[in-house]
Amino acid sequence: MTQPVVHLWRLLKWGRTLARHGALKGIERDPNTPAPVRRLARVARFGARVPAKPAYADAFQAIGPAAIKLGQTLATRPDLVGDEAAHDLLRLQDQLPPVPFATIAAAMEASMGRPPSHFFSSIEETPVGAASIAQVHRAVTTDGRTVAVKVLRPGVEDDFTRAIDTYQWAAAQVEGMSPEAARLRPRLTVENFRRWTLRELNFRREAASASELAEAMTAEPDFMVPQIDWQRSTAKVLTVEWVDGIKLSNRQALVEAGYDLPHLAQTLVRAFLRQAIAEGFFHADMHQGNLFALPGNKIAAIDFGIMGRIDRRARVWLAEILYGLITGNYKRVAEIHFEAGYVPSHHNVAEFATALRAVGEPMRGLPVKDMSIGMMLDGLFSITRDFDMVTQPHLLLLQKTMVMVEGVATSLDPDINLWDSAAPFVREWIRTELGPEAKIADRLIEDVQTLARLPELVRRIEARYPAPGGEPPAPPLKAIEVVRIGGGWRYALISMLSAAAGVAATFAVLR
């Protein structure tokens, strides 16, 4: 078990790097920051040259791979790190210098059990991408297919384990320092980060996620998921179909190639809505570098290490919230928040509806160049403190992905209105899931399930109330009262424990 002094040393070392980039200013100035955290920030900053403008993303980049991933997680939490920091962290680029190919080849052989030449006729030694967790090489299989081979960086698992250990320790300390810190649930944020990271470090999980998403997206033929080469994939090596397209980040190349950019933007928005609302399973890292345009104005996605999942109940609430904001029905949106338990019941529904109106009304009917979902989320975060709303773990990734999708869509078509794009899909899904036909179907399913439970219910009744002449049920056990007469109750308790131990030993012998 790691000692607290080791955690403090790591935090001071990381804090020193944050201070040199001006990234501790917000912590020191925020009145809600617990005093011990503020003191630790001042110690870390002592003697450092602090720039006038904080560079949060650069600071996390300088600390290392685990910090990069943590920074990407914190970008979804403006309520926790502030609007300025969250916005800057969105530009974190998960890129590092590549590992020498000899090291990568050795790692492949150790994981696959045979030399890479047994599976691939050729592998390009220069990677096409090098990130904090893995790097990707283009290769040709022995049967002639061009593929992308993703290999886990050697030693990265130990680095992440050490860092996450300290993150969890620090979050636990902060959460106990004040009610406001407890409301923001930093331990839950770190726990989600830990689970997402463990999934990313297991490439079999990533392959399974890609396969599941491909099945879910059959209804969206313009959104493509590359096929997995299961025979050439392990927990540390992932081989997938090579995507030969243009990155959506290269707008000029897309224009020169004749792509219909507004159509691509609409395809992306619809694909995201189908994943998040209709399927409840979505690609949670849909930035421009992971999306490619293919011939026929199609979009292909890569990198399925971070996936989000929300159950049907949460999806119904999400769809109703989005549709309520789209149509201006703030009273219904407020009621949904109370029904879902997002807002404690001691608050007033009408007051919350008014607060939502203040967020949503200025943005309705405007093009995205004048308003955005990101702005809406910032507004929603600003009212969470007033209404004691706690963090909802199943919405963290969704919020981050919504901002990402919006950014990519508007880079393709600055005039796109996401409300208008989302409304038809959300309206149809609500009608399908919550309309009269759906209610009748749900009722029939519920009634059939009730009928199926009847035999078991009858058996339980018979067991509880046997026929005349049968053995009566045993009476409920009475609570044992501890008699406190001088010190005698101690001896009585010891005697009862000894007797219980004797009975347990007897049963152990008889078994």
Side-chain angles (χ1 to χ4, degrees), residues 199-216:
R199 292 172 187 170
E200 279 197 270
L201 293 174
N202 186 338
F203 289 167
R204 286 198 185 278
R205 287 287 299 273
E206 180 174 344
S209 295
S211 177
E212 182 178 350
L213 186 63
E215 291 181 4

Side-chain angles (χ1 to χ4, degrees), residues 438-479:
K439 288 181 182 287
I440 292 172
D442 288 345
R443 182 59 182 269
L444 287 173
I445 292 172
E446 184 178 353
D447 290 346
V448 169
Q449 290 175 340
T450 301
L451 288 172
R453 291 195 299 268
L454 280 178
E456 179 62 24
L457 179 61
V458 171
R459 283 191 288 270
R460 290 182 181 181
I461 293 174
E462 289 178 340
R464 183 69 178 85
Y465 300 101
E471 183 179 350
L477 295 175
K478 295 171 62 176

Side-chain angles (χ1 to χ4, degrees), residues 87-367:
H87 180 75
D88 189 67
L89 289 172
L90 287 173
R91 66 182 179 86
L92 267 175
Q93 296 297 310
D94 194 7
Q95 297 176 351
L96 290 176
V99 174
F101 182 72
T103 304
I104 289 296
M108 291 175 65
E109 182 170 354
S111 180
M112 302 177 82
R114 295 181 181 181
S117 58
H118 179 81
F119 303 95
F120 307 100
S121 59
S122 64
I123 304 177
E124 294 181 5
E125 295 190 5
T126 302
V128 296
S132 58
I133 285 180
Q135 64 188 51
V136 180
H137 293 258
R138 183 171 178 168
V140 178
T141 63
T142 51
D143 55 3
R145 292 176 292 107
T146 302
V147 294
V149 183
K150 183 176 181 180
V151 185
L152 192 72
R153 281 177 175 263
V156 72
E157 294 163 299
D158 293 337
D159 292 341
F160 271 78
T161 299
R162 286 193 294 268
I164 291 173
D165 190 25
T166 297
Y167 297 160
Q168 290 177 315
W169 182 87
Q173 309 311 307
V174 171
E175 192 163 299
M177 290 177 181
S178 72
E180 175 62 15
R183 184 187 72 82
L184 296 174
R185 303 166 83 179
R187 293 176 67 186
L188 182 62
T189 300
V190 173
E191 176 58 24
N192 282 329
F193 168 71
R194 184 189 70 84
R195 289 203 303 267
W196 301 338
T197 301
L198 289 178
R199 292 172 187 170
E200 279 197 270
L201 293 174
N202 186 338
F203 289 167
R204 286 198 185 278
R205 287 287 299 273
E206 180 174 344
S209 295
S211 177
E212 182 178 350
L213 186 63
E215 291 181 4
M217 294 302 290
T218 53
E220 296 292 336
D222 288 344
F223 189 87
M224 174 256 189
V225 176
Q227 292 184 348
I228 303 297
D229 187 336
W230 290 98
Q231 305 306 315
R232 293 173 174 82
S233 297
T234 66
K236 298 184 178 182
V237 178
L238 175 63
T239 304
V240 300
E241 173 187 2
W242 179 262
V243 175
D244 196 5
I246 301 174
K247 284 189 177 182
L248 296 192
S249 57
N250 194 345
R251 194 175 194 278
Q252 184 60 37
L254 294 172
V255 172
E256 293 175 356
Y259 281 97
D260 184 344
L261 301 193
H263 178 80
L264 290 176
Q266 294 284 350
T267 297
L268 179 63
V269 171
R270 185 173 179 85
F272 166 69
L273 290 172
R274 179 167 296 282
Q275 292 174 38
I277 296 178
E279 303 297 337
F281 184 67
F282 60 94
H283 191 310
D285 201 15
M286 294 176 71
H287 60 73
Q288 292 173 319
N290 284 341
L291 298 167
F292 293 79
L294 303 180
N297 288 308
K298 297 183 178 182
I299 292 178
I302 62 170
D303 195 353
F304 304 92
I306 306 177
M307 304 295 293
R309 195 184 296 276
I310 49 180
D311 61 25
R312 183 180 181 274
R313 188 182 183 194
R315 284 184 279 137
V316 170
W317 285 327
L318 172 64
E320 288 190 320
I321 288 171
L322 285 176
Y323 193 63
L325 291 171
I326 290 169
T327 59
N329 190 351
Y330 302 107
K331 184 174 184 298
R332 179 55 189 150
V333 177
E335 290 170 349
I336 293 166
H337 276 75
F338 278 78
E339 291 169 6
Y342 296 164
V343 181
S345 58
H346 65 266
H347 286 287
N348 185 279
V349 177
E351 287 292 326
F352 188 64
T354 301
L356 290 173
R357 181 180 293 274
V359 173
E361 201 63 23
M363 302 180 189
R364 290 182 60 231
L366 296 176

